[in-house]
Amino acid sequence: AQKVTQAQTEISVVEKEDVTLDCVYETRDTTYYLFWYKQPPSGELVFLIRRNSFDEQNEISGRYSWNFQKSTSSFNFTITASQVVDSAVYFCAGGYQKVTFGTGTKLQVIP
Amino acid sequence: GAVVSQHPSRVICKSGTSVKIECRSLDFQATTMFWYRQFPKQSLMLMATSNEGSKATYEQGVEKDKFLINHASLTLSTLTVTSAHPEDSSFYICSARGRGLAEETQYFGPGTRLLVL
């Protein structure tokens, strides 16, 4: 069984602040994938990133960066210089054949 | 990237009727499709996994006779909510995984909002 924990239910930041969303993925599997998805108010799920369990390199894409540390089972997501358009619910997910989602973190960026 | 569509985007129906939701992979062959349900302000819960040409595998607690899943082709899966009741009102999202571009990654459809009156 796998478990995805997003301890932060809601976060509010002022525009231009940096914000980190936490995710802990627990599994006995050695091979798995980790994902982050964004769900804006419209409801559509937007794919942000996929990492495999063997790749612990940090990744940066524009204002987004991800830090995967297998030793602590964490896959954290940082938004630099947040913008109002970043306001959404962010889901962390993990798995291989079957993907399990965390409970989501609602991010509100205040102008 | 790979594109997955869902139809309809929203549906309102009367209690007791059946509703069919389609999920299509538009530019890749989806060997596996997944159906999720999301209640308001909650996470996505996997309902079932279907592989093309075989019966769907349902998660514990999901009634297979109520939620009929058909994955008859490599680009189409359907979810039929039979004899829908108000408690079935939810956001249903499909995802697809397959060969080529989409391999190893699930691509999600835009979702279908079901409201049962």
Side-chain angles (χ1 to χ4, degrees):
Chain A
Q2 55 214 29
K3 184 180 177 183
V4 182
T5 303
Q6 292 181 257
Q8 303 151 308
T9 307
E10 292 193 37
I11 301 176
S12 288
V13 297
V14 177
E15 199 171 21
K16 297 184 183 177
E17 285 184 348
D18 299 347
V19 58
T20 295
L21 309 182
D22 298 332
C23 174
V24 173
Y25 178 67
E26 297 171 89
T27 181
R28 291 182 180 176
D29 296 333
T30 54
T31 302
Y32 53 86
Y33 292 97
L34 295 171
F35 306 83
W36 275 96
Y37 289 90
K38 174 182 180 180
Q39 188 176 41
S42 62
E44 186 168 345
L45 274 174
V46 178
F47 168 78
L48 296 178
I49 189 172
R50 172 180 65 91
R51 303 305 301 275
N52 72 53
S53 53
F54 300 107
D55 184 0
E56 290 192 65
Q57 278 194 332
N58 291 339
E59 183 155 341
I60 299 175
S61 176
R63 297 184 296 109
Y64 296 167
S65 63
W66 292 269
N67 178 269
F68 173 39
Q69 292 194 346
K70 204 166 184 177
S71 59
T72 58
S73 303
S74 67
F75 185 43
N76 297 337
F77 172 32
T78 298
I79 302 175
T80 305
S82 60
Q83 300 176 0
V84 173
V85 293
D86 296 328
S87 297
V89 178
Y90 290 85
F91 289 99
C92 177
Y96 187 60
Q97 295 293 338
K98 191 188 296 187
V99 173
T100 299
F101 282 78
T103 50
T105 298
K106 182 177 181 180
L107 173 65
Q108 184 177 15
V109 181
I110 304 166
Chain B
V3 178
V4 175
S5 70
Q6 274 184 248
H7 178 80
S9 57
R10 350 177 134 248
V11 57
I12 301 173
C13 69
K14 291 182 180 179
S15 186
T17 60
S18 294
V19 175
K20 181 186 282 189
I21 301 170
E22 292 185 350
C23 177
R24 292 181 186 274
S25 56
L26 299 184
D27 52 359
F28 67 99
Q29 293 182 321
T31 52
T32 306
M33 284 187 169
F34 305 86
W35 287 95
Y36 293 83
R37 180 168 53 184
Q38 185 183 32
F39 291 109
K41 298 187 179 182
Q42 293 188 26
S43 187
L44 285 80
M45 301 302 295
L46 180 65
M47 298 175 67
T49 303
S50 72
N51 293 300
E52 185 265 337
S54 60
K55 289 184 179 179
T57 302
Y58 290 80
E59 295 300 300
Q60 194 171 10
V62 178
E63 299 173 59
K64 61 180 180 181
D65 294 330
K66 180 168 185 65
F67 299 99
L68 302 179
I69 292 172
N70 183 283
H71 190 169
S73 78
L74 284 171
T75 59
L76 174 65
S77 176
T78 60
L79 167 68
T80 301
V81 183
T82 62
S83 186
H85 291 289
E87 58 265 29
D88 298 323
S89 299
S90 186
F91 190 47
Y92 291 87
I93 307 175
C94 74
S95 69
R97 185 178 67 204
R99 306 181 189 132
L101 288 176
E103 196 159 10
E104 298 180 344
T105 296
Q106 287 188 41
Y107 289 88
F108 283 84
T112 296
R113 291 197 183 277
L114 170 63
L115 177 61
V116 184
L117 301 176

